[in-house]
């Protein structure tokens, strides 16, 4: 493909993408395919001779699209949102064209410096304490990770390295293995599975602490477990506090957890993967109160801030803690500015070496929407979630299972778990909308998350009408089954 054809095909692709986004509501939100559907539709090996662009695009519609779950459909209410906007798509195109691998300042100065500034911009948008910002001479700073899972792992490893070095400095005879065997990390029983995975990868014990009746991790519960573990000779070193849990969007109590972590010299990491975007709105910022006690903080603009995946924003108060854990400096990666104190080499802040020019997406989105535009987007989703909540509360057959704060509604039919499992199966088999479940204590619960950039009240009303029609069918079938027994 030469530049002339690239111009032609590029314009065609933009038109295809625009048509796809504009008509996505007409596509079935969840595919009909079975596992293994794709392999028989394509050759066993790559073609020896070039094929045409036209043939490839025909196959996109014939082979790829039938197997796509349309996350940006206004009828997609599963998981949490994944962000999508035209400014971010255009920035991704530019990032692909520049094609730098920004592992160090010298490998592409603009890639590094724009990221540092964008994380400061975003930090100011959510009113992060100054200690988390890089500024001109701060000790903290932000970095883009690939996901919240990576952020949790990176901070756990940094905390592990820090405590091992501290203990070995006090007792030089202590081996790393002896310390590792006693290290314990903590999180709520509502925390994401990635926290447990971080413990597996990091080779440390993870303890899940029971949450309260509002699914929040409280200080008293944490202190009790810490006291027990210290008495048993264990070494608490890391706590993950979650703001906006995956099951029900509950919030751990930072103002209780933070002082305990500070007193016990424990690294506190805050995972606000979904909810963090909402903190750009002053009315939701109070959920972040207590962040001043944290050592690190993370949320995903690629979930709810219109920056396409991947873009997970992470801040630390002391970047030396990260760099100290991950810094390796072979000659081929060294450059004359690295010790100047004026530049950042992000290869020391993450697990991979290479990194894309992801901050371009933030720059485009922040400038083309403005803070006010992004706030309006968040508020619209929250308003729609409360609209759905109101519909559920008006129907005596249903119950709301957790407080609705942001864009997630947890609900179920009043009845057995089996009945609710049957409802979810009906919903996802009809494929008019898409939902996923969670467990809250012993209850099987349906999650209704406001996800699409284009979702409107009419889609909420349609979804509720569809759900109630399926419930009527389900309850009728159950009644007939009981009568025939």
């Amino acid at each position: 493909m030469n530049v002339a054809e690239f111009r032609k095909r590029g314009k065609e692709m933009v038109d295809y993408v625009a048509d796809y986004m504009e008509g996505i509501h007409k596509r079935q939100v969840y595919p009909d395919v079975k596992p293994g559907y794709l392999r028989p539709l394509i050759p066993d090996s790559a073609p020896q001779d070039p094929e045409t662009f036209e043939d490839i695009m025909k196959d996109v519609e014939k082979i790829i699209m039938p197997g796509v779950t349309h996350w940006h459909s206004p009828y997609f209410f599963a998981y949490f949102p994944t962000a999508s906007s035209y400014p971010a798509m255009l920035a991704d195109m530019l990032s692909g064209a520049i094609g730098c691998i920004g592992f160090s300042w010298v490998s592409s100065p603009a890639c590094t410096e724009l990221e540092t500034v964008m994380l400061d911009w975003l930090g100011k948008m959510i009113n992060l304490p100054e200690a988390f910002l890089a500024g001109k001479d701060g000790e903290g700073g932000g970095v883009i990770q690939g996901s919240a899972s990576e952020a949790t792992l990176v901070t756990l490893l940094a905390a592990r390295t820090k405590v091992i070095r501290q203990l070995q400095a006090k007792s030089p005879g202590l081996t790393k293995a002896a310390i590792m065997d006693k290290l314990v990390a903590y999180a709520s029983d509502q925390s994401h599975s990635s926290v447990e995975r971080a413990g597996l990868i990091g080779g440390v014990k993870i303890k899940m602490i029971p949450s309260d009746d509002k699914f929040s991790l409280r200080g008293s519960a944490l202190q009790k477990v810490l006291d027990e573990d210290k008495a048993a000779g264990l070494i608490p070193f890391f706590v993950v506090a979650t703001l906006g849990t995956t099951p029900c969007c509950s919030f751990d109590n930072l103002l209780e957890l933070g002082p305990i972590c500070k007193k016990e010299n424990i690294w506190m990491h805050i995972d606000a993967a979904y909810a963090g975007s909402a903190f750009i709105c002053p009315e939701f910022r109070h959920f972040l109160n207590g962040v001043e006690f944290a050592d690190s903080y993370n949320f995903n603009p690629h979930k709810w801030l219109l920056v396409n995946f991947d873009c997970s924003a992470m801040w630390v108060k002391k970047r030396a803690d990260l760099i100290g854990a991950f810094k390796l400096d072979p000659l081929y990666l060294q450059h004359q500015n690295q010790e100047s104190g004026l530049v950042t080499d992000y290869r020391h802040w993450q697990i991979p070496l290479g990194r894309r020019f992801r901050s371009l997406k933030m720059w485009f989105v922040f400038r083309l929407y403005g803070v006010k535009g992004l706030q309006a987007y968040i508020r619209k989703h929250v308003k729609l979630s409360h609209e759905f909540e109101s519909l559920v509360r008006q129907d005596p057959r249903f119950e709301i299972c957790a407080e609705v704060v942001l864009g997630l509604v947890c609900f179920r039919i009043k009845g057995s778990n089996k009945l609710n499992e049957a409802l979810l199966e009906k919903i996802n088999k009809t494929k008019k909308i898409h939902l996923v479940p969670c467990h809250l204590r012993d209850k099987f619960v349906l999650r209704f998350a406001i996800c699409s950039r284009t979702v409107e009240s009419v889609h909420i009303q349609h979804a509720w009408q569809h759900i109630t029609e399926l419930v009527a069918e389900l309850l009728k079938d159950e009644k007939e089954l009981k009568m025939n027994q």
Side-chain angles (χ1 to χ4, degrees):
M1 181 180 288
N2 59 30
V3 69
E5 187 175 3
F6 176 72
R7 290 180 189 277
K8 180 176 185 291
R9 302 308 185 186
K11 290 169 185 172
E12 290 173 5
M13 182 59 81
V14 167
D15 284 341
Y16 179 86
V17 169
D19 289 344
Y20 168 72
M21 298 303 293
E22 192 175 34
I24 197 169
H25 63 285
K26 299 175 185 176
R27 294 179 184 262
Q28 183 174 281
V29 63
Y30 192 70
D32 281 322
V33 300
K34 302 295 183 186
Y37 91 95
L38 190 143
R39 184 174 288 275
L41 301 178
I42 61 176
D44 287 336
S45 55
Q48 294 297 313
D49 297 312
E51 297 183 358
T52 67
F53 187 80
E54 287 87 354
D55 285 343
I56 294 170
M57 291 307 296
K58 286 177 185 175
D59 283 345
V60 167
E61 277 298 327
K62 178 182 174 184
I63 299 170
I64 302 303
M65 284 300 175
V68 169
T69 299
H70 298 286
W71 280 65
H72 303 293
S73 166
Y75 300 114
F76 182 94
F77 303 105
Y79 311 106
F80 275 134
T82 180
S84 175
S85 70
Y86 296 122
M89 292 181 209
L90 293 173
D92 243 350
M93 285 178 62
L94 180 57
S95 174
I98 292 172
C100 64
I101 311 297
F103 48 76
S104 67
W105 180 86
V106 76
S107 69
S108 197
C111 181
T112 294
E113 296 198 15
L114 186 64
E115 183 163 335
T116 302
V117 176
M118 287 303 99
L119 270 294
D120 276 2
W121 274 20
L122 185 54
K124 291 174 183 176
M125 286 161 63
I126 59 173
N127 198 23
L128 269 186
E130 193 76 22
F132 285 100
L133 306 182
K136 291 183 179 179
D137 52 7
E139 294 183 4
V143 59
I144 300 174
Q145 303 285 355
S147 66
S149 303
E150 287 179 41
T152 301
L153 175 59
V154 163
T155 52
L156 180 142
L157 294 176
R160 188 190 73 178
T161 299
K162 184 177 182 179
V163 73
I164 288 172
R165 288 175 179 170
Q166 287 174 343
L167 292 171
Q168 287 181 327
K170 291 179 182 177
S171 305
L174 272 179
T175 65
K176 180 179 178 182
I179 297 170
M180 287 272 292
D181 191 50
K182 295 184 177 183
L183 292 179
V184 189
Y186 306 87
S188 158
D189 59 6
Q190 300 299 309
S191 64
H192 195 270
S193 60
S194 60
V195 177
E196 189 172 358
R197 178 176 287 184
L200 289 172
I201 297 171
V204 297
K205 301 178 187 70
I206 293 272
K207 290 196 175 182
M208 300 303 177
I209 302 174
S211 52
D212 69 6
D213 58 351
K214 291 187 177 180
F215 308 103
S216 172
L217 178 57
R218 304 297 298 273
S220 57
L222 174 63
Q223 189 67 66
K224 180 176 182 292
V225 177
L226 293 179
D227 291 343
E228 291 170 354
D229 285 353
K230 287 191 298 178
L234 298 175
I235 305 171
F237 81 105
F238 187 71
V239 169
V240 178
T242 306
L243 301 180
T245 59
T246 300
C248 66
C249 198
S250 58
F251 293 79
D252 292 343
N253 194 313
L254 298 186
L255 291 172
E256 293 180 0
L257 302 175
I260 294 172
C261 290
K262 185 177 181 180
K263 178 188 69 174
E264 302 282 356
N265 194 29
I266 294 172
W267 184 303
M268 185 168 79
H269 173 68
I270 299 174
D271 173 7
Y274 162 67
S277 295
F279 303 154
I280 67 169
C281 299
E283 64 268 33
F284 301 123
R285 174 56 177 77
H286 66 94
F287 289 112
L288 193 53
N289 290 348
V291 67
E292 61 271 17
F293 294 105
D295 297 274
S296 52
Y297 171 69
N298 166 249
F299 82 92
N300 291 342
H302 68 230
K303 272 191 169 66
W304 205 13
L305 211 57
L306 295 173
V307 180
N308 290 43
F309 189 85
D310 58 337
C311 181
S312 185
M314 187 188 94
W315 292 265
V316 288
K317 270 185 181 169
K318 294 188 180 298
R319 58 178 177 267
D321 291 337
L322 278 187
I323 295 169
F326 298 110
K327 185 173 182 178
L328 292 172
D329 211 18
L331 181 60
Y332 52 81
L333 294 178
Q334 295 175 19
H335 58 91
Q336 63 184 8
N337 294 298
Q338 66 183 39
E339 302 299 336
S340 67
L342 299 174
V343 302
T344 296
D345 283 353
Y346 278 124
R347 60 193 167 97
H348 303 314
W349 295 51
Q350 60 177 28
I351 293 169
L353 175 64
R355 51 205 336 276
R356 297 185 300 113
F357 202 162
R358 291 174 290 197
S359 58
L360 281 171
K361 293 182 289 189
M362 300 172 76
W363 197 43
F364 274 47
V365 168
F366 295 167
R367 294 182 69 183
L368 286 169
Y369 277 90
V371 175
K372 289 181 179 178
L374 295 171
Q375 289 171 333
Y377 176 70
I378 296 290
R379 288 169 178 147
K380 172 188 168 186
H381 273 202
V382 175
K383 182 180 179 182
L384 290 174
S385 75
H386 285 300
E387 179 179 341
F388 185 80
E389 176 194 15
S390 177
L391 292 169
V392 175
R393 291 191 184 279
Q394 290 169 34
D395 192 321
R397 298 171 298 177
F398 289 87
E399 61 180 332
I400 296 290
C401 303
E403 183 181 2
V404 179
V405 178
L406 299 178
L408 176 67
V409 182
C410 291
F411 73 107
R412 70 196 301 273
I413 312 172
K414 294 174 181 175
S416 67
N417 284 346
K418 186 176 179 182
L419 185 65
N420 283 278
E421 288 168 8
L423 173 58
L424 182 67
E425 185 178 3
K426 267 184 171 288
I427 289 170
N428 287 334
K429 271 189 174 179
T430 56
K431 299 180 173 67
K432 290 185 178 180
I433 62 174
H434 187 41
L435 305 182
V436 296
C438 71
H439 275 113
L440 293 177
R441 305 293 186 242
D442 59 346
K443 288 184 177 181
F444 183 91
V445 173
L446 282 67
R447 296 170 73 263
F448 190 94
I450 309 299
C451 291
S452 171
R453 178 176 53 82
T454 59
V455 66
E456 300 288 349
S457 175
V458 64
H459 304 113
I460 305 302
Q461 297 290 333
H462 171 89
W464 179 243
Q465 181 182 348
H466 178 58
I467 290 168
T468 54
E469 287 171 357
L470 294 179
V471 167
E473 291 175 16
L474 189 64
L475 295 177
K476 180 183 176 184
D477 292 345
E478 189 179 63
K479 185 177 180 182
E480 290 175 355
L481 184 65
K482 286 180 179 178
M483 289 176 64
N484 293 331
Q485 287 177 343

